[in-house]
Amino acid sequence: MSDVQEATNQLLDVNLCENQRSLQVMESRPGSESENLQVTIGATVPTGFEQTAADEVREKLRSSCKISKDRGKIYFDISVESLAQVHCLRSVDNLFVVVQELKDYQFKDTKEEVLKDFEELAGKLPWSDPLKVWKINTSFKKKKTKRKKINENSSKEKIDNGQGDKRDKKDVKKELTDNALGSHILDYYENPAIKEEISTLVGDDLASCKDEADESSREETDPEVLKFRVTCNRAGEKHCFSSNEAARDFGGAVQDYFKWKADMTSFDVEVLLNIHDNEIVVGIALTEESLHRRNITHFGPTTLRSTLAYGMLRLCAPQPTDIIVDPMCGTGAIPIEGATEWTNCYHIAGDNNPLAVNRAANNISSLLTKNQIKEGKLSWGLPIDVVQWDVCNLPLRTGSVDIIVTDMPFGKRMGSKKRNWNLYPACLREMSRVCRPGTGRAVLLTQDKKCFTKALSGMGHLWRKVHTVWVNIGGLHAAVYLLKRTPQAFVHSSEQDGERTPW
């Protein structure tokens, strides 16, 4: 039942891009001053794809965009009228409105002086306009869904109904961990270049979750008082304070200034304190749940973020009528994102694992059902097909594919490093066969960079490396390779035909 409930929640999630326009009009009518309000929006994006996200902002919002020195963030100016369109961006994970940016901030020498400055900072910031934007935004932001909790409850039932011995509990605990990683393996992008601390505190409240729950219950009698929390992201080596201390003291000052109530879980306002070396950005969160949660309802062990899938697709610049293939599609994140955004191309998803093919098909079906609910009529469908195949022996004509985009096995949760030494060369060779000579291109994601580089070195006559994007996926340093198919025609080898490497 948990999968059914999860899928139902996803299907009933109203499509943001369709409803935001009407809600935007409703919100902008009462106050004419809000219509002309200009604000700076910050967005977190997959590390390495900052330029891709900036290009999308310029293209769709006609707004200038600045890439932050802090990897994984961009900033751009908009009018409040464009706020709904911001939520329709495909390359951003989370959004926030900037309260103030402090460049070349001079930190004091001692911890006590620095924390005192944080306390005084809260009362000096221009909160008025950002809070207006936050209020308008709350009407149409995507609400957070609770998928993980369902899995935990179902696993806990196994403990209660079983024998209850220690070994079973350990197994269930491991299963919980695996499920969490499998469903949300790309939930967090760590900074590969610098050490970063993330801390969430609320004012001076450092009590246990139980105390917070009790306090939340008491506050239900006073619904007009806003609840808040402060999240501090600190990156840099020359700070004499921790993110915990910064969030605690700054949050306490915010609490005193607004007379808000502190709540770590059921908060209305999330104040962000981003510190990168000597730069401080204070913001208010505009997303409750990351915007990458949009297409997938049936998760696999390595489900790719939709925002990362979009970045990979955009990297190869799809053109109308292009045939785009993901030969190792998994849950179908890449081809589904492609079919949603590039509807004038044809997308083929394939995998050798029948479970993966089934998940991809279910995800497509769920998305079609959601589109039908949104439009109130039968959907025409999506330009996409799902096939079970052997990636080293694709049932496609030679030179029939324009673009190949795929997430290759890392050799961690899927496959193994040892198998990759045989798989990667065979994959690249088969991809070179089906890809159109001269104009074909491939975008391949892998963490096994050594194996991939070795395999590519033997295919120099068929593939040319154009660009490499370094990304960080769940703590794993990976690379996205953009390859261009050379004009040289593919020559069948009798030995290769006779000895295909199965995957």
Side-chain angles (χ1 to χ4, degrees):
M1 287 297 292
S2 62
D3 288 340
V4 175
Q5 291 170 353
E6 177 182 327
T8 303
N9 289 337
Q10 287 285 326
L11 297 178
L12 295 178
D13 179 27
V14 181
N15 189 281
L16 286 170
C17 300
E18 193 65 26
N19 290 334
Q20 282 156 3
R21 295 183 182 87
S22 59
L23 286 163
Q24 172 193 352
V25 174
M26 292 170 58
E27 290 291 341
S28 59
R29 279 176 183 167
S32 59
E33 71 278 0
S34 296
E35 294 179 0
N36 300 320
L37 192 61
Q38 295 285 327
V39 293
T40 300
I41 300 296
T44 61
V45 302
T47 56
F49 282 94
E50 295 89 352
Q51 187 60 55
T52 302
D55 291 341
E56 186 192 11
V57 168
R58 296 186 189 103
E59 175 187 307
K60 296 182 178 180
L61 301 180
R62 299 289 188 265
S63 173
S64 60
C65 186
K66 182 188 76 172
I67 298 174
S68 173
K69 291 184 295 184
D70 186 8
R71 290 196 69 190
K73 291 186 180 70
I74 61 172
Y75 296 95
F76 50 94
D77 297 327
I78 63 161
S79 65
V80 174
E81 291 177 335
S82 304
L83 189 58
Q85 295 175 334
V86 174
H87 281 266
C88 296
L89 293 173
R90 311 293 292 186
S91 58
V92 303
D93 289 315
N94 291 287
L95 300 166
F96 58 94
V97 57
V98 174
V99 177
Q100 190 169 14
E101 181 181 7
L102 304 171
K103 297 181 179 179
D104 297 322
Y105 185 85
Q106 299 300 315
F107 292 102
K108 298 291 178 58
D109 295 331
T110 65
K111 181 193 297 186
E112 291 72 18
E113 289 177 312
V114 173
L115 297 179
K116 181 66 176 176
D117 286 346
F118 283 150
E119 293 177 6
E120 295 175 355
L121 179 63
K124 300 176 181 178
L125 296 173
W127 296 98
S128 178
D129 287 351
L131 284 173
K132 288 178 185 176
V133 175
W134 168 83
K135 187 173 183 179
I136 295 172
N137 183 77
T138 52
S139 300
F140 54 79
K141 71 178 179 180
K142 185 178 179 181
K143 301 298 181 183
K144 190 172 185 179
T145 55
K146 298 181 179 179
R147 305 182 188 89
K148 188 177 175 181
K149 192 171 182 180
I150 296 174
N151 292 336
E152 289 177 354
N153 290 339
S154 61
S155 297
K156 285 177 181 177
E157 288 177 7
K158 295 178 183 179
I159 298 176
D160 297 335
N161 298 334
Q163 298 296 322
D165 62 2
K166 294 182 180 179
R167 185 172 182 180
D168 289 341
K169 290 181 180 179
K170 287 181 179 179
D171 291 342
V172 173
K173 184 177 180 181
K174 183 177 184 299
E175 182 182 346
L176 279 172
T177 304
D178 290 344
N179 287 340
L181 288 171
S183 300
H184 313 290
I185 190 169
L186 299 182
D187 277 355
Y188 304 99
Y189 284 83
E190 298 180 6
N191 198 318
I194 48 180
K195 183 179 179 182
E196 181 174 16
E197 290 184 2
I198 300 177
S199 176
T200 300
L201 299 172
V202 281
D204 294 321
D205 190 342
L206 298 176
S208 65
C209 295
K210 181 179 179 182
D211 293 336
E212 289 160 10
D214 293 340
E215 183 180 348
S216 177
S217 300
R218 290 194 299 270
E219 286 164 2
E220 288 178 359
T221 58
D222 190 10
E224 303 210 359
V225 178
L226 289 177
K227 292 177 283 187
F228 85 107
R229 81 177 188 185
V230 171
T231 300
C232 178
N233 301 272
R234 186 185 69 84
E237 300 292 340
K238 297 181 180 180
H239 299 140
C240 61
F241 58 91
S242 67
S243 58
N244 282 9
E245 293 165 334
R248 180 195 64 207
D249 288 34
F250 181 73
V254 171
Q255 187 176 31
D256 293 339
Y257 183 77
F258 287 105
K259 307 304 179 186
W260 290 341
K261 299 291 184 182
D263 195 318
M264 287 186 69
T265 53
S266 302
F267 53 87
D268 302 302
V269 183
E270 182 178 18
V271 179
L272 305 174
L273 179 63
N274 296 327
I275 304 171
H276 181 263
D277 291 331
N278 61 339
E279 181 180 279
I280 296 178
V281 178
V282 179
I284 298 176
L286 299 179
T287 45
E288 191 171 312
E289 180 174 71
S290 176
L291 298 179
H292 80 266
R293 299 184 184 281
R294 54 175 176 256
N295 298 331
I296 305 302
T297 56
H298 297 73
F299 293 90
T302 55
T303 300
L304 197 70
R305 280 182 185 239
S306 296
T307 47
L308 185 54
Y310 174 85
M312 292 173 63
L313 284 158
R314 192 179 175 99
L315 201 60
C316 58
Q319 300 299 314
T321 72
D322 275 351
I323 295 177
I324 306 175
V325 173
D326 182 352
M328 293 176 277
C329 68
T331 56
I334 294 174
I336 291 174
E337 182 67 22
T340 304
E341 184 70 6
W342 287 274
T343 55
N344 50 9
C345 299
Y346 186 65
H347 306 263
I348 305 176
D351 204 288
N352 77 316
N353 190 330
L355 293 177
V357 174
N358 187 53
R359 289 191 194 103
N362 286 333
N363 283 324
I364 295 170
S365 178
S366 296
L367 190 61
L368 287 172
T369 304
K370 188 168 76 170
N371 290 342
Q372 290 177 14
I373 293 174
K374 178 191 73 175
E375 299 171 3
K377 60 182 180 180
L378 188 64
S379 174
W380 284 98
L382 291 170
I384 185 173
D385 269 326
V386 186
V387 186
Q388 183 178 355
W389 58 28
D390 175 8
V391 68
C392 300
N393 190 16
L394 297 174
L396 299 171
R397 289 180 180 175
T398 299
S400 62
V401 174
D402 297 288
I403 296 173
I404 296 173
V405 186
T406 195
D407 175 12
M408 302 183 76
F410 285 13
K412 297 283 187 180
R413 294 182 62 81
M414 293 294 291
S416 66
K417 296 276 189 180
K418 184 177 180 181
R419 292 181 65 191
N420 283 351
W421 286 99
N422 292 325
L423 175 66
Y424 279 23
C427 285
L428 284 174
R429 181 170 179 82
E430 183 66 359
M431 290 177 188
S432 66
R433 182 186 69 81
V434 300
C435 203
R436 201 180 303 278
T439 60
R441 53 256 190 228
V443 175
L444 310 176
L445 167 65
T446 179
Q447 189 266 340
D448 197 349
K449 300 179 287 293
K450 183 178 179 181
C451 180
F452 183 86
T453 302
K454 178 67 175 177
L456 186 62
S457 65
M459 301 283 174
H461 59 297
L462 297 173
W463 291 111
R464 179 174 60 88
K465 186 170 69 172
V466 177
H467 183 52
T468 304
V469 177
W470 303 102
V471 297
N472 193 289
I473 301 177
L476 300 175
H477 302 300
V480 176
Y481 297 95
L482 171 61
L483 308 180
K484 182 77 178 290
R485 180 68 168 83
T486 65
Q488 182 169 330
F490 180 85
V491 178
H492 288 274
S493 169
S494 58
E495 295 181 5
Q496 196 88 10
D497 293 337
E499 298 178 13
R500 296 275 177 158
T501 305
W503 180 48

